[in-house]
Amino acid sequence: MTKPDAVLVVNIDDEDAPRYVKTRDLRAAGFEVVEAGTGAEGLRLVKELQPPVVLLDVQLPDIDGYEVCTFIKQNYPEVMVLMTSATFTTSAHRTLGLNTGADGYLVQPAEPLELAAAINALLRIRRSEDALRTLNEHLDQRVRDRTAELAGLNVKLEAEIAQRKRTEAALVQSQKMEAIGQLTGGLAHDFNNLLTAVIGNLDMIRARASDPRMVRYASNAFQAAERGSKLTAQLLAFSRTQKLATVPVDVNALIEGMREILAQSLGGTVNIEIELAPGLPAAMADANQLELAILNLSLNGRDAMPDGGTLTIATALDPDHDDYVVVSVSDTGTGMPPEVLARAFDPFFTTKPPGKGTGLGLSQVHGIVHQVGGDVAIDSEVGKGTTIRLSLRQTSADAPAAAGEAYRAAGQHYETVLVVDDDPDVREIVTSTLVEIGYHVHAAGDGVEALAFLAKLVPDLLIADFAMPGMNGAEVAKAALARNPALRILFISGFSDTAALADAVGTTHLLRKPFRPGDLGVAVREVLDA
Ligand SMILES: Nc1ncnc2c1ncn2[C@@H]1O[C@H](COP(=O)(O)OP(=O)(O)OP(=O)(O)O)[C@@H](O)[C@H]1O
Ligand SMILES: [Mg+2]
């Protein structure tokens, strides 16, 4: 009779009598016993049953008991082996048995209780070994889990650090752009005022000079000043202080319209591909400035492909933000190394030889795109080429058909104009230009003076500088309109807080400095005829 949870012992002994005695004693002590009469049979049972304990007689007919023990310990190390012998009883035998891996060595015949006690002692050792092994496995697993967890956290941390670095770099970049923008904006403003005076006066000189050499000198100077004026326009674009006409633009149509100018300016070695996404919604932009930006990018592409290549201009919906339209300009040129990429948007950063590039192209693109709420990104690989993507906010509004040049031939002018500008040079050139055309002109140096004029005079048009000390142009205009609601108003401004100007001026007319006398004439006529 054995209990169901009785411990199993495999009893290996070739001699029937002692084997029987051991089995009987063990059963009496509550063990379950399976017997084997040979080493081979014993090994088979061990393999099949994997018992907790083997009782092994040293003297066996087929295989030596020491060998059986070695085999068991090599293949089933957790099986406890208790060796027994009635004949091999010397200290040398017991030593050999223990050295081959036996867990105990009992000289036969032993007291029944001693046999059971020896086996129980082995079982206690075995149980604590088991417990230790489980604990170890458990610890191993916990170490593995924790290592995996830490590795995961580390990956996350590294990603966060990288993200933070990118954000910081972007912040530094935008602060840098902001600072340079303010600097260049202020500079361009003052420069613009000077150029307005220079260009106006040169124009007068040219018109009045009788000596052909004088005419030529004046023309040369005039052209140089005009180049300067283009430069300041670019600077103003970068510093985002020019007033942009942000309207829905059909980008595809705009690019279609550029085919000819692109073909002319890119020369014969560049192959031009235009890939326009059909059904593209309109994008918010200033059409003229956007065209300039695309042209600038195309010229950069051409310059990057001295041995020819392909320039691709494409449009698409932004795959990441579907409320944005993307215009991309790609070339198969030299690409930009990291140090060029890092500074490409900086004004006056150029890698081109003197006289070839001003370094204002990309800064201008940056300025006008950001000013209309868009973004610009460069993707460039040295030796492969460059792609520049402009993302522009899309709009559901329809783009108006391109407005034609609203120029009308000047007729006879008799209207009265009041000019307010704090800059005497600009005031002088505006006045003399308008007088030349035929208007009656009065000039004031500030808002108070202008209002004093308005008290005794009813002009048809007020031309006011926007940025003036004391009352600004908008304030003067407001006071003037309160007096005379029919008064027409034309603002002139080089530098302005675009938003403030839009708020104050609304839809009123604006002429940007520097302007040529011809521009002024056209603008004045337009306002008066509107
Ligand atoms: N498509 C491009 N491929 C390779 N490098 C480019 C590309 N576009 C710009 N760059 C690099 O960026 C610099 C700055 O470009 P950016 O257009 O601002 O000025 P620029 O072309 O040198 O002069 P500008 O446009 O004022 O005549 C270039 O000098 C050139 O090194
Ligand atoms: Mg350029």
Side-chain angles (χ1 to χ4, degrees):
M1 275 281 119
T2 54
K3 289 173 274 171
D5 57 348
V7 174
L8 176 67
V9 178
V10 171
N11 181 8
I12 311 173
D13 197 335
D14 62 321
E15 284 184 58
D16 294 340
R19 187 179 69 235
Y20 168 75
V21 171
K22 282 182 277 186
T23 297
R24 186 200 58 198
D25 290 348
L26 287 175
R27 286 195 176 137
F31 293 99
E32 184 186 344
V33 183
V34 180
E35 295 189 330
T38 62
E41 170 68 359
L43 286 178
R44 191 188 64 75
L45 285 173
V46 168
K47 183 178 174 199
E48 185 188 317
L49 302 171
Q50 307 220 355
V53 183
V54 172
L55 197 56
L56 176 63
D57 190 44
V58 176
Q59 206 172 20
L60 293 171
D62 53 346
I63 317 169
D64 176 29
Y66 298 116
E67 278 178 50
V68 173
C69 180
T70 306
F71 185 84
I72 292 176
K73 280 294 174 183
Q74 267 171 7
N75 295 286
Y76 312 99
E78 64 286 358
V79 172
M80 303 301 259
V81 178
L82 178 59
M83 280 192 155
T84 58
S85 184
T87 40
F88 297 143
T89 58
T90 64
S91 149
H93 290 127
R94 293 203 299 275
T95 306
L96 180 61
L98 292 171
N99 281 343
T100 53
D103 300 288
Y105 200 107
L106 204 61
V107 174
Q108 287 289 93
E111 286 296 315
L113 285 180
E114 192 187 349
L115 178 62
I119 288 184
N120 277 328
L122 293 188
L123 283 171
R124 277 199 300 280
I125 295 174
R126 188 189 145 119
R127 268 195 296 275
S128 50
E129 273 184 0
D130 280 353
L132 206 61
R133 198 167 28 244
T134 319
L135 187 69
N136 269 339
E137 275 166 11
H138 205 69
L139 272 179
D140 271 1
Q141 187 55 43
R142 279 184 59 183
V143 168
R144 275 195 300 275
D145 287 354
R146 190 78 187 124
T147 308
E149 198 179 315
L150 284 175
L153 282 176
N154 198 34
V155 167
K156 235 169 100 178
L157 199 66
E158 273 170 6
E160 269 166 24
I161 291 172
Q163 175 60 37
R164 197 198 182 97
K165 276 195 184 143
R166 279 195 297 275
T167 313
E168 272 171 9
L171 191 67
V172 167
Q173 174 72 3
S174 80
Q175 281 169 345
K176 184 178 82 177
M177 289 308 210
E178 189 74 38
I180 303 178
Q182 275 170 8
L183 197 75
T184 47
L187 209 81
H189 162 234
D190 291 348
F191 204 61
N192 241 355
N193 276 342
L194 298 176
L195 280 175
T196 304
V198 169
I199 289 176
N201 283 298
L202 284 172
D203 209 37
M204 295 284 186
I205 293 173
R206 194 169 55 174
R208 281 178 181 69
S210 45
D211 181 345
R213 268 189 318 173
M214 281 300 158
V215 174
R216 205 171 67 242
Y217 296 154
S219 292
N220 290 345
F222 186 86
Q223 272 166 21
E226 287 235 290
R227 275 208 299 281
S229 130
K230 277 201 191 105
L231 211 80
T232 50
Q234 284 177 308
L235 283 177
L236 285 169
F238 168 69
S239 65
R240 303 183 214 167
T241 44
Q242 67 178 349
K243 188 170 161 55
L244 291 190
T246 310
V247 293
V249 173
D250 179 345
V251 180
N252 282 353
L254 181 131
I255 295 172
E256 271 301 337
M258 292 181 68
R259 275 184 193 275
E260 197 173 323
I261 184 168
L262 286 172
Q264 276 168 9
S265 35
L266 298 193
T269 56
V270 173
N271 170 35
I272 305 170
E273 303 259 355
I274 293 185
E275 296 166 3
L276 304 176
L280 198 71
M284 293 305 287
D286 178 313
N288 288 330
Q289 295 297 328
L290 180 60
E291 197 173 308
L292 252 176
I294 294 172
L295 189 63
N296 257 316
L297 297 178
S298 306
L299 292 176
N300 281 350
R302 174 202 64 188
D303 294 346
M305 301 185 288
D307 304 323
T310 299
L311 184 95
T312 309
I313 301 180
T315 60
L317 272 182
D318 191 326
D320 299 326
H321 313 274
D322 58 7
D323 46 350
Y324 279 75
V325 164
V326 178
V327 181
S328 61
V329 179
S330 316
D331 61 64
T332 55
T334 55
M336 293 182 227
E339 65 276 10
V340 170
L341 195 59
R343 301 188 56 198
F345 287 123
D346 292 2
F348 300 114
F349 174 77
T350 180
T351 56
K352 294 168 190 173
K356 275 278 184 172
T358 58
L360 284 175
L362 283 180
S363 56
Q364 184 180 15
V365 171
H366 185 276
I368 63 159
V369 170
H370 278 267
Q371 200 180 330
V372 298
D375 201 1
V376 46
I378 306 182
D379 200 354
S380 188
E381 202 178 326
V382 173
K384 289 262 169 71
T386 301
T387 295
I388 303 207
R389 284 187 188 79
L390 313 182
S391 308
L392 301 167
R393 278 181 298 134
Q394 74 157 70
T395 170
S396 51
D398 277 340
E405 280 291 299
Y407 185 85
R408 239 169 292 161
Q412 279 287 66
H413 312 286
Y414 296 112
E415 289 98 338
T416 302
V417 180
L418 175 60
V419 179
V420 204
D421 197 314
D422 61 309
D423 186 321
D425 291 341
V426 175
R427 200 164 63 228
E428 165 60 27
I429 193 69
V430 170
T431 306
S432 47
T433 303
L434 293 180
V435 167
E436 184 103 330
I437 297 173
Y439 295 102
H440 303 292
V441 184
H442 301 270
D446 59 37
V448 176
E449 203 186 327
L451 292 181
F453 264 112
L454 288 169
K456 51 187 185 200
L457 183 83
V458 186
D460 302 286
L461 173 70
L462 171 71
I463 299 181
D465 184 21
F466 183 75
M468 287 188 292
M471 288 175 94
N472 72 21
E475 288 161 347
V476 176
K478 213 168 142 197
L481 282 173
R483 217 178 277 271
N484 174 13
L487 182 68
R488 301 296 171 89
I489 300 193
L490 172 64
F491 284 103
I492 48 177
S493 176
F495 175 87
S496 56
D497 177 347
T498 308
L501 186 64
D503 280 353
V505 178
T507 56
T508 325
H509 304 267
L510 175 78
L511 180 63
R512 192 141 37 83
K513 291 180 194 171
F515 46 80
R516 284 173 301 174
D519 300 335
L520 177 66
V522 172
V524 164
R525 204 56 258 155
E526 269 177 25
V527 179
L528 285 171
D529 292 345

